Amino acid sequence: MAQPLATYRPDAPQPESPSLTEAGQIFGLQFSALDEQALVAQMATAEVPSGTGPKRLATANLDHIVQMARNDAFRRAYDRAWTITADGMPVYLYARLRNVGLPGRVTGADLFARLIEVLDAARHRCFFVCSSTEVAERLEQRLLRRGFRREALAFCVPPHAFERDAAYSDALAERIRRHAPTHLFMGLGAPKSDIWTDRYHDALGDCYVLNVGAALDFTAGVKRRAPVLVRRIGLEWAWRVASEPRRLYRRYLVDSWQFLWLVAMDLCRPAEPLPSRAARDPGIRRRT
């Protein structure tokens, strides 16, 4: 279980990079062995080396596993992520069943909420791709109160289906690169954010990239996250369906049953050797 935020000390010895500290595989994906506290510490204290490109963090839940089975671009984005955590309770429980050495669930919502509270206003620069201007404005005010300079923060609320507009996407990637963020936060959901940041990997510069969907909305207070007890018993998905039934009904109550079939297939998967670091870390591998 992750330690309370109060125990985080930026001056304490930090763990090895998640790209070198790994648990094991399920669904052919390599998961990080670092807990939430260690990942926050890594992203708050260790700079992305110059010239290596972005380090994309992916947070796997049941819906992601199902979508990857039929979306090759989404699967490639996960395969080339810097590190992967178990966000959803079904994914985490299955990992435990397979004796994958995960320290616990590490959700995108928790990671984002903790990380922005420990980023250093004196040296970090953030770029937020948000779902609405309200989310952008609330996050900006929150960070300005923490001492961030306005010029260290950049926000974008892209139009619907922006990812299919090559000219707009090229301009957005260039805007991100010019801002030179240390951290890029994508709050548009999966698979859109993951595929877009993977496609524009070579254009984003050296930064941490967190594809964390509704985490920005939760932290901004625009959407209400499930109560802690609901999250602990693994029913956050039910809360979200109740909150947004038209958008999420099919995802969680229809398509999600495919997860059981994918688990059965994965149980029959032969053991795979640990991939080389070059294959795991997109920062040191030429992209195609």
Side-chain angles (χ1 to χ4, degrees):
M1 182 178 296
Q3 300 175 22
L5 182 58
T7 66
Y8 169 71
R9 291 181 20 247
D11 58 339
Q14 299 306 326
E16 193 176 20
S17 167
S19 64
L20 303 177
T21 306
E22 296 165 326
Q25 291 189 9
I26 51 174
F27 305 110
L29 299 171
Q30 188 67 46
F31 283 74
S32 171
L34 299 186
D35 64 10
E36 180 183 300
Q37 186 74 11
L39 280 168
V40 168
Q42 169 76 15
M43 292 185 286
T45 61
E47 294 182 1
V48 175
S50 177
T52 61
K55 291 185 176 293
R56 293 185 299 105
L57 180 142
T59 55
N61 61 30
L62 178 152
D63 179 59
H64 292 190
I65 300 301
V66 170
Q67 289 200 58
M68 274 187 270
R70 56 176 181 259
N71 188 325
D72 291 341
F74 193 24
R75 176 71 200 206
R76 285 194 299 272
Y78 254 84
D79 285 340
R80 300 191 291 211
W82 163 62
T83 196
I84 302 171
T85 71
D87 181 305
M89 182 64 80
V91 175
Y92 171 62
L93 292 177
Y94 177 58
R96 289 190 61 182
L97 174 69
R98 293 294 301 270
N99 294 317
V100 173
L102 300 184
R105 286 179 66 202
V106 179
T107 72
D110 290 327
L111 271 176
F112 175 71
R114 286 190 169 205
L115 182 58
I116 65 167
E117 290 302 318
V118 297
L119 289 180
D120 187 345
R123 66 187 183 92
H124 289 133
R125 297 174 61 83
C126 302
F127 196 110
F128 299 84
V129 180
C130 305
S131 60
S132 70
T133 55
E134 183 180 9
V135 172
E137 290 168 357
R138 290 192 181 194
L139 289 175
E140 181 179 37
Q141 291 305 311
R142 180 170 182 157
L143 289 169
L144 289 175
R145 288 194 296 269
R146 284 202 54 232
F148 276 82
R149 293 170 291 110
R150 195 176 297 274
E151 58 268 27
L153 306 172
F155 299 84
C156 175
V157 182
H160 176 69
F162 81 96
E163 73 280 6
R164 296 198 290 269
D165 185 331
Y168 184 93
S169 289
D170 290 349
L172 175 57
E174 177 60 23
R175 182 182 168 194
I176 292 169
R177 189 177 186 88
R178 286 200 310 269
H179 183 68
T182 56
H183 298 78
L184 168 61
F185 301 103
M186 299 290 292
L188 302 179
K192 181 183 300 186
S193 293
D194 302 78
I195 294 173
W196 191 89
T197 52
D198 181 60
R199 181 180 301 148
Y200 281 89
H201 173 272
D202 294 329
L204 300 177
D206 307 319
C207 60
Y208 290 103
V209 178
L210 281 77
N211 297 301
V212 289
L216 275 65
D217 302 52
F218 295 145
T219 300
V222 172
K223 289 183 180 179
R224 185 184 173 195
R225 196 178 176 194
V228 173
L229 178 59
V230 174
R231 285 180 252 158
R232 285 179 177 170
I233 62 176
L235 290 177
E236 187 167 9
W237 65 269
W239 174 275
R240 294 201 64 193
V241 171
S243 301
E244 301 178 79
R246 293 184 62 183
R247 187 172 75 88
L248 299 177
Y249 171 83
R250 181 172 182 84
R251 177 192 300 182
Y252 288 106
L253 299 181
V254 179
D255 295 342
S256 62
W257 289 102
Q258 188 180 353
F259 181 76
L260 298 177
W261 170 248
L262 295 172
V263 165
M265 292 179 61
D266 193 61
L267 287 169
C268 298
R269 184 193 301 270
E272 299 181 17
L274 185 68
S276 67
R277 186 186 175 199
R280 299 191 308 267
D281 192 337
I284 59 174
R285 182 165 64 92
R286 181 181 178 88
R287 307 297 286 248
T288 58

